[in-house]
Amino acid sequence: MQIVIIGSGNVAYHMAKAFILKNIPLLQIFGRNGEELRKISEELDVPYSTEHLQDADLYIICVSDNSVENVSEIITKKDCLVAHTSGSLPKEILTGEYRKSSFYPLQTFSKSKELDYGKIPFFIETENEDDKEILFELASRISENVMESSYEKRKYIHLTAVFACNFVNHLFARAKEISDSQEIPFNYFLPLIDETVQKIYEIEPKAAQTGPAVRNDVRVLELHEQLLKDESLEIYKTMNHSIQKMYEL
């Protein structure tokens, strides 16, 4: 199978790297950012282009959600399979006369961070059984965790990921602002963060909750509110209200 990855960002880089590490040949990586494509090409030894899109059996579109539809228009071949990697878009966003699908890797991607691709879940959606088998086989060569998912289910998968990843990371950033304001090294909090994450491998998140809100410690809650202002204060109040509501306090 001749495979082309379209894109030059974080997802495109990691998808290309995962394929190469698993000895899945790539015909080309294609996109607009020539400098980023060149870096990926040199590292992974894969041909790239910003002008000529190669004729392929499978195109995997790894671009931002708001670019998927426009990028899909450049694929004019009809007898091929095209997949996007978005968690929040239907496969019907792809506009060509080719076979449409979704090939969604559930992970946060940064080019500077190494990943264990074998642990990344992949969610597959296709128009027919033959294409499902193709993408299942492909994803299974990369990952141990592959499953079929409708668009309706995938929307909730993506929503869960935003809560579990994006929101949590934002709280890390807010926490670092507080520690930086008091000249407390943020790395001192890393063992606490590590233990919090490791704990939910063994205990349900709801059962693992600690802190002043779940204890209904009004004195500490009021003390903390006095130390905060603006967005951080609003986040603190909202989070504590959510915790207390979950535990009916």
Side-chain angles (χ1 to χ4, degrees), residues 112-143:
S112 59
K113 181 68 172 61
E114 294 284 337
L115 291 171
D116 183 351
Y117 300 113
K119 295 181 179 179
I120 298 175
F122 280 80
F123 295 93
I124 307 298
E125 183 185 9
T126 62
E127 292 179 327
N128 60 65
E129 286 296 315
D130 289 342
D131 288 337
K132 185 176 76 172
E133 289 183 13
I134 290 171
L135 293 188
F136 254 85
E137 181 180 352
L138 185 64
S140 296
R141 291 179 64 181
I142 300 170
S143 172

Side-chain angles (χ1 to χ4, degrees), residues 209-233:
Q209 187 69 52
T210 61
V214 76
R215 296 195 306 267
N216 200 24
D217 192 333
V218 176
R219 183 189 67 82
V220 173
L221 293 172
E222 291 179 348
L223 173 63
H224 287 173
E225 289 180 9
Q226 293 170 12
L227 301 175
L228 296 168
K229 60 181 180 180
D230 301 329
E231 291 90 353
S232 292
L233 177 58

